[in-house]
Structures are given as structure tokens and as C-alpha cells.
Amino acid sequence: MARLAWTRLPTADGEGAGPSTSEAADDELLSGAAIESLDYEVIENYAYREEQAQRSKFWVPYYVMLKWLFALLIGVGTGLAAIFINLAVENFSGWKYTATFAIIKHSYFVGFFVYTVFNLALVFSSVYIVTNFAPAAAGSGIPEIKGYLNGVDTHGILLFRTLVGKIFGSIGSVGGGLALGKEGPLVHTGACIASLLGQGGSAKYHLSSRWVRIFESDRDRRDLVTCGCAAGVAAAFRAPVGGVLFALEEVTSWWRSHLMWRVFFTSAVVAVVVRSAMNWCNSGKCGHFGAGGFIIWDISGGQEDYSYQELFPMAIIGVIGGLLGALFNQLTLYITKWRRTYLHKKGKRVQIFEACLISLVTSTISFVLPLLRKCSPCPKLETNSGIECPHPPGTDGNFVNFYCLQDREYNDLATIFFNTQDDAIRNLFSAKTFHEYSAQSLITFLVMFYFLAVVTFGTAVPAGQFVPGIMIGSTYGRLVGMFVVKFYKKLNIEEGTYALLGAASFLGGSMRMTVSLCVIMVEITNNLKLLPLIMLVLLVSKAVGDFFNEGLYEEQARLRGIPLLDSRPKQVMRNMNARDACKNQKVVCLPRVSRVVDIISVLRTNKHNGFPVVDRGQNGESLVIGLILRSHLLVLLQAKVDFQNSAFPCGPGVLNRHNFSDFVKPASSKGKSIDDIHLTEDELGLYLDLAPFLNPSPYIVPEDMSLAKVYNLFRQLGLRHIFVVPRPSRVVGLITRKDLLLEEDNNNVMPELQSTSVRGLLNGKMLGGNIHLERPLLDNLVIE
């Protein structure tokens, strides 16, 4: 659907265009969100070079120091947000379960009513905040952030109100007992915090500061958002190394060693902040917040070794995880597509009603199903195990007494349902708890929770899929563990170990992560001995899942109309060249000195975001002298100070009228529109010299270059446009490796990310042609 949307970008006549005529543009896609490519390339126009030349020798140390300071602030901010969310969720859940267990001793129906109303109120608050205040806060946010780091900007995903909606919406949806988690929203929360810090706060809500507005380019913001993503994972799972690897493997398309250092530092700061909060809460100052407040399922005291005889059932777990994960991706894709196409178009009230209805169904299932199971007597436990049977109401632990006649009895199905998901997973992972769960209870929970997770995913609330996936996987993993214990009676086998492997297999089969997920599972379980087994099930589950469909985030990104560029081009691109990709493309060019009325006409009749600028050469032929962006033209038209009466190139007086920051698009805004430009008749007749404001050194490829090489260049450098020119007829020079190993000049030290090539040596040497590629065209060429 994303590919279909990109092939129907409107033309100048307002009609749908085919794949060969589509160019990058803002377009209201099927999801209703405006999609626009980001400018990760440095626009080396005169304003940029003037600003670089005017900077003092203290600017670079200040720039580097500020980046590390922001890494620290992102870690602290994300850690505090995670603490607040966990405190709220744990306390709301504790109050709910305490009240429910106290009431059902006297009246089952009153207890059911209180439990249902409590959940309904929390879910209603979440969906109301999202639908009326922060629509971009719905879902996990990971597909949108992945698209942002891939070079695609979806408006609204990094706003201040999105951050607020994500935090409070997660509290309501997770505290309300829905089959979703808060880990995905925490990744989005960290990205929002990083973006807001990078742009100096939110000007709309008067929470901004000018002294930190040094990170104005999309490249700087990309680095900050990468730190925020890693911080979100580190805060959600208390897995700092896993957070770094998650950012590297799953969300970013561009990486380097300097960024690795800052991301690692940010994750370490998060770990310190979260650990400090846990030590403070262990003293009992946080209400119901206890050992289950943050995810860490310590199974270091469980199974210490494994036999080769166990590898076969472990491989079976990997196959099951791949099948169920692929099925989950496909079901959620179909249901979400139907929901967005038919249901959510009917308005906010329908979205609110849908979420509340799912809350009622979830509460009814979790309250009624445990009644179908008989209570079991408490088993004999070791004195030093730290496990209490039954555990007190409102606290985390195994063995829940739910409507049992005897005090020393527990309900195994209620042990899973009447706990927060974090505590329920800890119970499923727990060692030395043989026969705590019956096979019938685990199968019942697996079927019902799988159904609830599929239906709940896609509603208008913040929803993560990490913890529900772990719940599903640990359930069938423990089932397999029970059969293995019965079959291999002489081996020291723990059911909790198989529950862990099941959780890893489902996540691998659904999300298709390997390295980062493996490290996260090791960090949250504190058992390095199980690393080879986790690697095994992840490899098997990913291989099985890849046979059927793509990963969860890739599927959801395409459903939302986010044109992700995969890590490698399709095979068909190797048989095509750049000329084939754009041979029927209508390119709109602007002369160096253009009339204002002509520029207005071009902007109104075309939605392209970049225009080649041409000038007459010595022989009268048209030569491309650079690329000017639509956003830069709008800035010049609104400022009006560069208009001139003459149709000849301007003199040097124009050079001091603009700063580089004048052309920066705010991260939390759509930027200027052509409808914001208001000019008089006299102004429309004036001229504008575009040469000082264009990018004189865009990336250029010859027309016969393989489209696969163009694809790799486009994605790895994070480009927005590439010029396709005829094969040059003469050589200007030849650059080798030694030409790039320039000696450092202490008087002209440049920061690490302000220049990406030495292409400035080749300015003005482009020969003929003015065709250029844009991101959507490359996306159209991804053939199924």
C-alpha cells in the first residue's frame, strides 16, 4: 500500500501519475499523515560557508561538549520518564488488584464490576488523550522512528504533545490491563525527548531556550534521536548494551564510531538513573512499586546446564515461534488495514468506543476464565526459595488465591491473569516451581491472550509488542518444558528455561531481530549460560518467519505509508541503470535568475521538493549549476529582501542578508507552505538570483550506473536527491585514498559531520543533463 500511494502522487494537472513520473513530495497518504523526506545531506550554499568561516576556534569544543551534554540529558530524561510510567502502572495495578481481591471475598459480581470499571476508566483516559490531544502517540511509534532514521519524516511524531500523550497514554493502556506493553512507547518517548532537546524545547508551549539551538540540521537531529531510541530500550528492559544494539540493528540506517560512543554513554546513564530509582523504591516509598516495577527476570538460580538431547525440543520451540510470529504479523496487518480503512475513518467516537469495548472484553475474559479452573493446594516449597503461597493480594508473586475455598490454595490461571504482565512473565520464568501450572491452563491462556494481542494491536492507544510477545512465547515455551520434564525424567530440566526460550523464539519470529534481542534476553534474565540456546531459537525462528513475510515493524511501516529503503536493493535493480529509472520523468528546472511569478507558478503547480537550477554556459548550452530546495525558495519568497529589478546575476551585497539558520525547518513543524506567501503585483514582476542559495555540489551519478549502486549510495548516505547526468566527456581529476588523508590544520578544524565529501573540488563541473532521482522512485522499484 505504501508503494501504491507513492505511485499516485498528483501531477501539475491534479491527476494521478504513474511510477515513472513520481518525484518526492508531501502527500497525504493512506494513513492520513504527511510524509516528507529529510535532508541529511549538508547544503553547502554560501550562507553555510559564510557561517563556517565566521566560527571561532572555540566553536568546535563547544559543539562537541554540547553533544555529550545532550547525551547525558537524554539519558536522564528518558530514565525519569520510564520511572514515572512504571511507578504509575504498578500503583494503579496494585490498587486495582487489592480492591478486587478484598471485594470478591464478599461479592463476586461487585468485585467484577469494580475490576471492569477500573480498567475501563484507565483505557478511556488513554484513548481520549490520544484521539483528542496527540494522534501521533497511537501505536508503538517504532515504525515511525525507524522511518525517521531511514530518512522519512512523518509530521507530528516528535512533538511535545506526542511525548505527553505517549507517557500518559501508556499508563492508561498498560495499567488498564490491555494485551500490550509499554516498551515500544518508551522507545518513542526517548526519541521525542531527544528531538525536543535538540530544537531547544517547544516554542508552542513556551518551553524553549535559544542557547541550545545549535543542532539545527536533520543530520544532528538524527544522531540525537538515535541516542533517544537506545535510551528507550535501555530504560524499558534495564538492558543498556541491548539498547545500543537495538539502535544499531533495528532502527538506524547509518552508523559510525563517534555516534556509538554517545549512544553507549546515553544507555549507561539510563541504567544508573533506573538503578538509583529502584534502590530508593526498595525502601517502600513507592507504594505498590516492588520487584516487578522494572523488567528483570533473574533466573540465574535455575537450570545450570543442558544436554544435547534437549536441542531438538529447543529447535521445535524455534519453529513454533517462527510460525506463530509470522501468523501474528499477518493477522495484525489484515486487522489494522481493515481498521484504518473502514473503522477509524468514522471519527474519534468510534475509536474511543472500540478501545473501551476491547477493554470490557479483556476484563471479562481475565475475570471469568479463572473460575473455570479448580483451585489447587499449595505445593511444598523450599524454605529459602522466597516464594509465598498464596501471595498477599496487591503484591507481585506466584500462586494467586482467586475465589478459592481454602486459604492454602491457589488458582494457576489467575496467577497469570491477575498480575501485571511483568510479574506474570516472572512467574512463568521462575525456577523450582514444578507443576505450578497445568497444561490446560497454559493452553487456555495462550489461545485467549494471543487473540487479545492480535485484536488490541492497532487501537488508538500507545501499544508496545515486546512484553505481549514475551507472554505468548513464554506460555508455549513452558508447555514444551513440561513435556520435556516428563519425557527426560533424569535430567535437571527447568520449565522456566523453556519459557525463556519460547519468549525469545516468538519475538524473533515476529520482529526478526537477532543480535540485539539475544543480548536483551541475556541482560533481563541475568543468565549468560543460556546464550547459545537463545541464539539457536532466534536463528530458527527468524528463518522460519522470513519464509512467510517481513518483520512486524516493516509491515506496519508500509501500512502507514512510510517508504522504508531496505538494507539492500532488489535483484531486479542490478539489471537496470539510472537512466532506465527516470527515462520518462518530467523534470522541472529553474534558471539561475528567475522571475518571482515563475517561481510561484512552479511551486503551485508542482509538489516536488527539489529543483535543478540551470545557467547558460559559454557556448550557450544549459548547464546544471546546483539544486535548490522547495523550503529554501519559500524562505526567500517570504523574506522578499533578495528581490531585484535586474534579470542579471546579483552582486556580493546579497551575501550578508541571510544566516544558515534561516533555512532550517523546525523539527516540530511542517514548515512554510506556498499558501503562506503573499506578494503584490509589483513584487511578482521582480527577479531572484538563486545561485547564492542553491546546493552547488549535489551528488551526481552517470546515466549508465547500475541502479543497485545508486540505491546503495542513496540509502547509505541518507540522500534526498541524486542527479543523473550524461557520461562526462573529459576527466577533471582523479582522487585516490591518499588524497583523502589530509593533514589536520589547527586553524581550520571542522566538526566531524559538517562535510561528507570532497565534492566541493568538483563544483561547476557537471556536464549537461538535469535528471534527478528521489526516494519514492527508488521505493517504487522495489518489486515483489
Side-chain angles (χ1 to χ4, degrees), residues 96-244:
K96 174 178 63 179
Y97 292 134
T98 301
T100 301
F101 280 105
I103 294 174
I104 62 175
K105 293 181 179 180
H106 307 284
S107 174
Y108 174 82
F109 293 101
V110 176
F112 172 70
F113 177 79
V114 171
Y115 177 79
T116 303
V117 170
F118 207 112
N119 284 337
L120 186 63
L122 289 173
V123 173
F124 176 80
S125 67
S126 176
V127 69
Y128 185 84
I129 290 173
V130 170
T131 55
N132 291 275
F133 181 69
S140 69
I142 293 180
E144 289 82 359
I145 299 302
K146 185 172 182 176
Y148 183 90
L149 296 176
N150 192 259
V152 181
D153 185 18
T154 304
H155 175 66
I157 62 172
L158 298 174
L159 299 178
F160 177 73
R161 67 171 180 265
T162 302
L163 172 63
V164 175
K166 210 72 177 181
I167 292 175
F168 289 95
S170 298
I171 294 172
S173 60
V174 178
L178 295 180
L180 43 82
K182 55 184 178 295
E183 287 66 35
L186 267 176
V187 176
H188 194 178
T189 298
C192 289
I193 292 174
S195 178
L196 289 170
L197 285 173
Q199 61 180 331
S202 175
K204 180 178 179 181
Y205 299 98
H206 306 289
L207 299 172
S208 61
S209 175
R210 295 188 60 86
W211 71 274
V212 294
R213 293 182 187 175
I214 190 174
F215 302 110
E216 295 178 324
S217 69
D218 289 333
R219 307 186 79 198
D220 293 329
R221 293 168 181 165
R222 173 184 62 184
D223 290 352
L224 293 177
V225 171
T226 302
C227 292
C229 291
V233 175
F237 293 101
R238 288 177 58 196
V241 179
V244 176

Side-chain angles (χ1 to χ4, degrees), residues 11 17-23 578-587 771-773 777:
T11 61
S20 61
T21 61
S22 63
E23 294 187 28
R579 180 71 184 183
D580 296 333
C582 54
K583 58 184 178 182
N584 297 323
Q585 192 179 126
K586 179 183 177 182
V587 179
I771 298 173
H772 64 287
L773 294 176
L777 184 58

Side-chain angles (χ1 to χ4, degrees), residues 408-602:
R408 294 287 299 172
E409 290 183 339
Y410 76 98
N411 189 310
D412 58 347
L413 195 55
T415 300
I416 310 177
F417 274 118
F418 279 85
N419 265 308
T420 62
Q421 293 183 19
D422 297 349
D423 295 332
I425 294 170
R426 184 177 291 103
N427 297 341
L428 290 169
F429 283 1
S430 61
K432 312 301 181 183
T433 54
F434 292 106
H435 312 300
E436 178 182 357
Y437 303 99
S438 63
Q440 295 87 345
S441 295
L442 291 178
I443 293 174
T444 302
F445 176 78
L446 175 62
V447 173
M448 298 311 302
F449 193 82
Y450 193 93
F451 163 76
L452 291 175
V454 169
V455 173
T456 306
F457 189 83
T459 53
V461 294
Q465 202 50 42
F466 275 103
V467 169
I470 295 175
M471 285 280 290
I472 295 171
S474 59
T475 303
Y476 68 73
R478 184 138 187 150
L479 268 172
V480 175
M482 292 171 60
F483 290 114
V484 172
V485 168
K486 292 182 179 179
F487 189 77
Y488 300 113
K489 296 181 179 180
K490 297 182 179 180
L491 298 178
N492 181 23
I493 300 174
E494 287 287 350
E495 297 173 2
T497 301
Y498 284 82
L500 166 65
L501 299 179
S505 70
F506 186 84
L507 292 180
S510 176
M511 300 179 184
R512 312 293 160 79
M513 295 186 297
T514 53
V515 179
S516 59
L517 184 57
C518 182
V519 174
I520 289 173
M521 297 302 294
V522 170
E523 286 188 282
I524 62 180
T525 55
N526 195 24
N527 195 332
L528 191 60
K529 297 178 180 179
L530 300 180
L531 178 61
L533 305 181
I534 296 174
M535 295 171 64
L536 171 66
V537 296
L538 281 176
L539 291 173
V540 173
S541 62
K542 185 181 186 303
V544 173
D546 285 338
F547 182 79
F548 294 98
N549 51 30
E550 292 186 292
L552 177 67
Y553 298 137
E554 288 77 12
E555 296 278 6
Q556 294 296 320
R558 287 190 169 85
L559 180 63
R560 287 164 168 78
I562 302 174
L564 293 178
L565 294 181
D566 297 329
S567 59
R568 57 183 179 180
K570 298 298 182 181
Q571 184 64 32
V572 67
M573 292 186 178
R574 303 189 183 278
N575 301 322
M576 301 176 64
N577 55 36
R579 180 71 184 183
D580 296 333
C582 54
K583 58 184 178 182
N584 297 323
Q585 192 179 126
K586 179 183 177 182
V587 179
V588 180
C589 300
L590 292 172
R592 172 180 174 175
V593 182
S594 303
R595 293 182 63 197
V596 174
V597 65
D598 295 335
I599 297 176
I600 293 291
S601 176
V602 168

